[in-house]
């Protein structure tokens, strides 16, 4: 009976990793839509969110079934409880990619970002994809040290966010108020994507150690 239970736990972990991978791919395509004014890419991200919803529902059902039918305790309970939390974080990561895609679609056929701002978003997009992949990997190989390194990638995203606002506040900004509003919103979407990836890492640390680290302490593991 315990063998079957742990097989189900492994399946659930695989589902979570798949969700992370999907979120990373969504942000990659959303960034392409943003930088290239690619309407097809934007539409694909938006429509694929329904698939993410279906994956989330399947993972949630599996987690709740383990709670109801197996009544896990100790470490196993931490795994299931954390899985439920992670499902929400990863779904939110995908939703943030959808927000990026919707702004790209709204402004089509015009580009949303230009020049140095475009370069900044290219860097933020690459980092977001790396964060999604890192989160996927730490779920598959639950190493608290690797999970803690997500904070370092998040710090890099925060640096880019500050750089972006430096461009917005510069007296040389020439793109007008609507573009500034779009840029500020988009920057927030990428920054929050990174924050949710860090939350995945915190939950992996909790599973491994039994202690949920404070957000500022995650890099010490």
């Amino acid at each position: 009976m315990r063998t079957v239970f742990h097989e189900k736990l492994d399946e659930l972990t695989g589902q979570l990793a798949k969700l992370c991978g999907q979120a990373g791919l969504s942000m990659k395509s959303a960034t392409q839509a943003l930088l290239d004014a690619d309407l097809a890419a934007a539409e694909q991200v938006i429509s694929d969110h329904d698939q993410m919803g279906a994956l989330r529902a399947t993972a949630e059902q599996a987690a709740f079934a383990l709670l109801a039918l197996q009544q896990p305790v100790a470490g196993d309970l931490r795994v299931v409880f954390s899985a439920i939390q992670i499902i929400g974080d990863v779904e939110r990561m995908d939703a943030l990619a959808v927000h990026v895609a919707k702004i790209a679609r709204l402004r089509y056929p015009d580009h949303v970002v230009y020049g140095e701002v475009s370069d900044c978003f290219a860097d933020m997009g690459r980092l977001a994809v790396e964060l999604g992949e890192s989160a996927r990997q730490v779920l598959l190989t639950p190493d608290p040290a690797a999970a803690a390194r997500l904070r370092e990638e998040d710090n890099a995203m925060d640096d880019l966010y500050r750089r972006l606002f430096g461009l917005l506040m510069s007296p040389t900004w020439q793109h007008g108020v609507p573009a500034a509003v779009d840029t500020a919103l988009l920057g927030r979407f990428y920054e929050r994507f990174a924050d949710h990836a860090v939350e995945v890492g915190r939950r992996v640390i909790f599973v491994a150690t039994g202690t949920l680290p404070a957000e500022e302490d995650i890099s010490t593991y």
Side-chain angles (χ1 to χ4, degrees):
M1 194 70 175
R2 301 306 295 173
T3 298
V4 173
F5 174 68
H6 284 101
E7 287 176 352
K8 294 295 184 182
L9 278 182
D10 290 342
E11 289 176 9
L12 179 58
T13 298
Q15 289 173 316
L16 297 180
K18 185 175 181 179
L19 286 166
C20 275
Q22 179 62 44
L25 290 174
S26 292
M27 189 56 92
K28 181 178 181 179
S29 295
T31 302
Q32 176 189 336
L34 179 68
L35 298 178
D36 299 338
D38 187 334
L39 181 61
E43 294 285 10
Q44 190 65 54
V45 172
I46 295 165
S47 63
D48 283 351
H49 191 57
D50 289 340
Q51 179 184 4
M52 172 62 78
L55 290 171
R56 173 182 178 165
T58 299
E60 284 180 337
Q61 289 171 4
F64 290 138
L66 287 171
L67 283 175
L69 301 178
Q70 302 294 338
Q71 298 181 341
V73 296
D76 291 340
L77 179 60
R78 290 202 303 271
V79 174
V80 180
F81 175 77
S82 295
I84 294 169
Q85 302 297 316
I86 288 169
I87 290 166
D89 281 308
V90 177
E91 192 277 337
R92 189 60 190 152
M93 289 164 69
D94 194 77
L96 289 161
V98 171
H99 290 334
V100 173
K102 284 184 175 179
I103 289 181
R105 183 177 67 175
L106 179 65
R107 303 304 182 199
Y108 180 83
D110 295 328
H111 281 76
V112 183
V113 295
Y114 310 87
E116 287 185 79
V117 172
S118 180
D119 294 339
C120 191
F121 277 115
D123 291 339
M124 294 177 89
R126 282 192 293 269
L127 187 54
V129 173
E130 290 172 9
L131 277 158
E133 176 59 21
S134 294
R136 189 182 75 85
Q137 289 293 333
V138 300
L139 283 167
L140 292 174
T141 56
D143 177 357
R149 286 194 289 272
L150 285 163
R151 168 61 70 192
E152 298 172 12
E153 294 180 79
D154 178 55
N155 288 339
M157 183 69 83
D158 289 341
D159 289 342
L160 288 168
Y161 192 42
R162 284 189 288 270
R163 173 184 155 197
L164 187 67
F165 266 82
L167 295 171
L168 279 175
M169 299 302 292
S170 170
T172 61
W173 179 264
Q174 299 177 348
H175 306 300
V177 173
V181 172
D182 284 344
T183 299
L185 282 172
L186 287 162
R188 181 62 171 163
F189 296 153
Y190 283 91
E191 190 266 342
R192 288 300 296 153
F193 184 99
D195 287 346
H196 284 288
V198 170
E199 281 299 305
V200 173
R202 289 179 73 228
R203 294 294 168 182
V204 170
I205 292 171
F206 175 62
V207 169
T209 68
T211 301
L212 183 65
E215 292 183 19
E216 64 271 18
D217 294 337
I218 186 173
S219 61
T220 65
Y221 279 79

